[in-house]
């Protein structure tokens, strides 16, 4: 930006100087330099060809430099670094933040740490702090610049912060690498990946949402398993006949790959308490065993002035839409279940998933099954209204926080997390026992 600003200052001076010379030529012109009483700018009797060429050339350079500056301001505006991690976890993004900040006009941060000593991890205070600081900083920022959000949040926190964020125009998400270049080389790749994630009408606000079942070209597979693997040779009864009788579902969103589908999260005792396990992710069959494939951010070319390569925004939006559709389908299929949601995916995807859930929950879904959420005699008025609305086509994600509990996976343990005010604390605590110890959020 310093080089560009210097170039603009020089070209402004040159354009002004040569423009003055051209104006002087026109003022002192003779009678032979006009056509029908209009000065002929290109006539040698009116202006010097060399002066005119310098003026036009410097003016073209100035216009180009101003256009590049406007593009850089829109794409490399303020960098917002959002960090909320367990206290035992090292922040390995600091070098990447410095690299990304070198191309940003300004920098803001909202950070924190939390402990994980309790059976239920209560992050509501920390998440509220991150969300409030982000909103305050964005409100105080210059609307003419872009916004680059770089989340480094634990999975439950990423969902909650993304869910509550009000995005602005010219918003980008950045995926920071764990080992970035400390120095920027001309034309080099810093490892930073950014994706255009604007809230404009063409992106999310006016999007037509479709049921996952009505999209046969889904990139992600959805596999339903029993919570406890059946014995060898025994028939699998993963999907019960009465879906409304399912009380607890373990839903695992997997984009990192590397394991057999049947073994996903099998080491966690909390998974064994579920009636069903649903695994969502790209899969492949190897030697007769269905395994998870890793999904990588579809990065394209590097653009001059950018901090790193650009992610294909259509592919990024598609994967986030599919993940939200998978959560929605589980809520549709098991309307009375408490869903334990775990996830392993890029940090920017987790943040975007929370935002897309908040957008999708308010709309009707094309291809949604009707009369799929039965009402019961003991339903409250609100529960009955919710069931009727879902049967009329409203997204079941409108009860996301009352039915879904994000799971924090850390140091080999999986613990339910309280991260949002709309959650029911008594329901979350009941997932690990009524007498479980919970940190005081005050």
């Amino acid at each position: 930006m310093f080089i560009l600003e210097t170039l603009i200052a020089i070209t402004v001076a040159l354009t002004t100087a040569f423009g003055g010379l051209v104006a002087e030529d026109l003022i002192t012109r003779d009678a032979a330099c006009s056509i029908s009483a209009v000065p002929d700018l290109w006539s040698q009797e009116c202006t010097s060809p060399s002066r005119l060429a310098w003026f036009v050339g410097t003016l073209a350079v100035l216009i180009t430099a101003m256009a590049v500056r406007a593009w850089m301001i829109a794409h490399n505006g303020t960098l917002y670094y959002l960090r909320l991690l367990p206290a035992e976890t090292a922040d390995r993004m600091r070098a990447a933040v410095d690299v990304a900040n070198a191309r940003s006009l300004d920098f803001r941060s909202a950070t924190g740490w939390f402990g994980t000593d309790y059976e239920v991890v209560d992050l509501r205070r920390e998440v509220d702090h991150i969300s409030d600081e982000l909103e305050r900083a964005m409100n105080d920022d210059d609307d003419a610049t872009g916004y680059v959000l770089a989340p480094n949040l634990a999975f439950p926190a990423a969902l909650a912060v993304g869910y509550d964020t009000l995005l602005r125009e010219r918003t980008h998400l950045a995926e920071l690498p764990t080992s970035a270049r400390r120095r920027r080389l001309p034309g080099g790749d810093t490892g930073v990946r950014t994706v255009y994630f604007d809230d404009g009408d063409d992106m999310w606000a006016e999007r037509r949402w479709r049921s996952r079942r009505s999209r046969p070209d889904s990139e992600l597979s959805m596999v339903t398993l029993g919570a406890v693997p059946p014995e060898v040779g025994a028939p699998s009864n993963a999907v019960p006949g009465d879906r409304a009788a399912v009380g607890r579902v373990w839903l695992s969103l997997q984009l990192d790959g590397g394991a057999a589908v049947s073994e996903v999260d099998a080491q966690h005792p909390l998974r064994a308490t579920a009636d069903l396990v649903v695994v969502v992710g790209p899969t492949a069959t190897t030697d007769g065993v269905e395994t998870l494939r890793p999904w990588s951010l579809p990065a394209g070319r590097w653009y001059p002035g950018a901090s790193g390569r650009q992610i294909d925004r259509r592919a990024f939006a598609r994967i986030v839409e599919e993940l939200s559709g998978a959560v929605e389908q589980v809520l549709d299929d098991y309307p009375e279940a408490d869903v334990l949601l775990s996830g392993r995916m890029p940090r920017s995807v987790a943040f975007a998933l929370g935002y897309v859930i908040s957008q999708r929950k308010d709309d009707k879904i094309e291809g949604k099954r009707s009369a799929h959420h039965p009402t019961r005699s003991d339903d409250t008025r609100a529960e009955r209204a919710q069931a009727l609305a879902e049967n009329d086509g409203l997204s079941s994600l409108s009860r996301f926080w009352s039915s879904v509990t994000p799971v924090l996976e850390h140091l080999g343990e999986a613990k339910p997390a309280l991260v949002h005010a709309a959650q029911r604390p008594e329901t979350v605590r009941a997932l690990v026992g009524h007498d479980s110890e919970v940190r005081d959020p005050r």
Side-chain angles (χ1 to χ4, degrees):
M1 184 61 74
F2 172 75
I3 297 176
L4 186 61
E5 296 283 0
T6 303
L7 176 62
I8 291 175
I10 294 174
T11 52
V12 166
L14 292 176
T15 303
T16 303
F18 287 109
L21 293 176
V22 171
E24 182 182 355
D25 288 343
L26 292 177
I27 293 173
T28 60
R29 68 185 185 274
D30 57 23
C33 78
S34 62
I35 300 176
S36 300
V38 178
D40 185 3
L41 182 64
W42 306 104
S43 172
Q44 292 189 9
E45 287 78 12
C46 290
T47 58
S48 167
S50 60
R51 291 178 178 179
L52 182 60
W54 274 99
F55 170 70
V56 173
T58 54
L59 180 63
V61 172
L62 177 61
I63 293 174
T64 302
M66 293 294 289
V68 173
R69 180 179 181 274
W71 183 91
M72 292 184 67
I73 288 176
H75 289 73
N76 296 334
T78 303
L79 176 66
Y80 295 85
Y81 179 54
L82 312 175
R83 182 192 67 204
L84 185 57
L85 300 171
E88 305 88 353
T89 304
D91 183 1
R92 304 187 184 280
M93 307 297 164
R94 294 178 181 177
V97 170
D98 292 339
V99 170
N101 190 32
R103 291 286 176 172
S104 301
L105 301 179
D106 206 349
F107 177 76
R108 301 285 190 277
S109 66
T111 62
W113 304 94
F114 60 88
T116 59
D117 293 337
Y118 298 93
E119 291 184 333
V120 174
V121 182
D122 192 342
L123 304 179
R124 287 173 292 180
R125 181 180 61 185
E126 289 82 357
V127 167
D128 286 345
H129 168 71
I130 299 294
S131 297
D132 292 346
E133 284 295 307
L134 175 60
E135 183 175 9
R136 181 193 58 77
M138 294 182 76
N139 287 339
D140 293 340
D141 203 354
D142 185 358
D143 291 338
T145 65
Y147 305 88
V148 183
L149 308 183
N152 186 16
L153 305 165
F155 176 70
L159 288 178
V161 176
Y163 186 94
D164 287 343
T165 298
L166 176 63
L167 293 188
R168 314 293 179 86
E169 293 184 57
R170 298 179 300 278
T171 297
H172 291 72
L173 297 181
E175 183 72 23
L176 301 180
T178 55
S179 57
R181 285 185 180 178
R182 295 184 179 275
R183 291 191 305 167
R184 176 56 187 252
L185 301 179
D189 182 9
T190 64
V192 178
R193 301 288 179 262
T194 57
V195 60
Y196 184 70
F197 201 69
D198 185 80
D199 74 333
D201 292 347
D202 61 334
M203 195 71 178
W204 303 114
E206 300 296 330
R207 199 176 190 88
R208 296 174 60 187
W209 302 104
R210 297 173 56 191
S211 169
R212 186 180 182 278
R213 284 193 173 88
S214 65
R215 303 191 63 160
D217 58 340
S218 296
E219 185 177 352
L220 304 179
S221 302
M222 178 179 284
V223 182
T224 303
L225 309 166
V228 179
E231 297 179 0
V232 178
S236 175
N237 298 316
V239 181
D242 184 7
R243 295 177 182 266
V246 176
R248 187 175 297 180
V249 176
W250 180 277
L251 174 57
S252 186
L253 307 179
Q254 299 286 330
L255 296 184
D256 287 352
V261 173
S262 60
E263 298 175 359
V264 170
D265 299 331
Q267 74 277 15
H268 298 316
L270 189 60
R271 176 189 187 268
T273 65
D275 300 320
L276 287 178
V277 174
V278 180
V279 180
V280 178
T283 60
T285 302
T286 305
D287 297 331
V289 178
E290 193 168 16
T291 59
L292 291 166
R293 295 185 293 105
W295 182 88
S296 58
L297 293 169
R301 58 174 296 182
W302 174 76
Y303 292 95
S307 295
R309 296 185 182 275
Q310 297 284 319
I311 301 170
D312 183 344
R313 67 174 183 176
R314 291 180 178 83
F316 187 89
R318 177 187 174 91
I319 201 71
V320 176
E321 185 173 355
E322 285 199 32
L323 288 171
S324 64
V327 178
E328 182 180 64
Q329 181 173 325
V330 169
L331 293 176
D332 284 340
D333 288 347
Y334 312 106
E336 302 300 325
D338 294 319
V339 179
L340 288 160
L341 178 62
S342 69
R344 283 189 284 275
M345 62 190 69
R347 294 170 295 277
S348 57
V349 175
F351 181 92
L353 176 59
Y355 177 79
V356 170
I357 286 174
S358 72
Q359 296 296 303
R360 185 170 182 147
K361 71 179 178 64
D362 297 323
D363 291 330
K364 291 191 174 182
I365 307 301
E366 296 181 6
K368 180 181 171 70
R369 293 181 179 179
S370 60
H372 209 59
H373 189 173
T375 58
R376 302 187 306 182
S377 58
D378 59 343
D379 280 347
T380 64
R381 181 177 296 181
E383 289 172 338
R384 183 178 294 273
Q386 173 67 34
L388 294 175
E390 286 187 35
N391 291 333
D392 192 39
L394 183 71
S395 172
S396 55
L397 290 173
S398 57
R399 55 182 171 89
F400 177 80
W401 289 114
S402 60
S403 298
V404 177
T405 300
V407 174
L408 174 69
E409 296 185 70
H410 177 61
L411 298 179
E413 294 183 311
K415 298 180 179 181
L418 277 166
V419 292
H420 198 272
Q423 287 180 274
R424 300 171 179 172
E426 63 279 2
T427 301
V428 177
R429 291 164 187 159
L431 296 172
V432 291
H434 291 286
D435 299 327
S436 61
E437 193 177 15
V438 183
R439 191 196 65 179
D440 187 351
R442 290 175 295 177

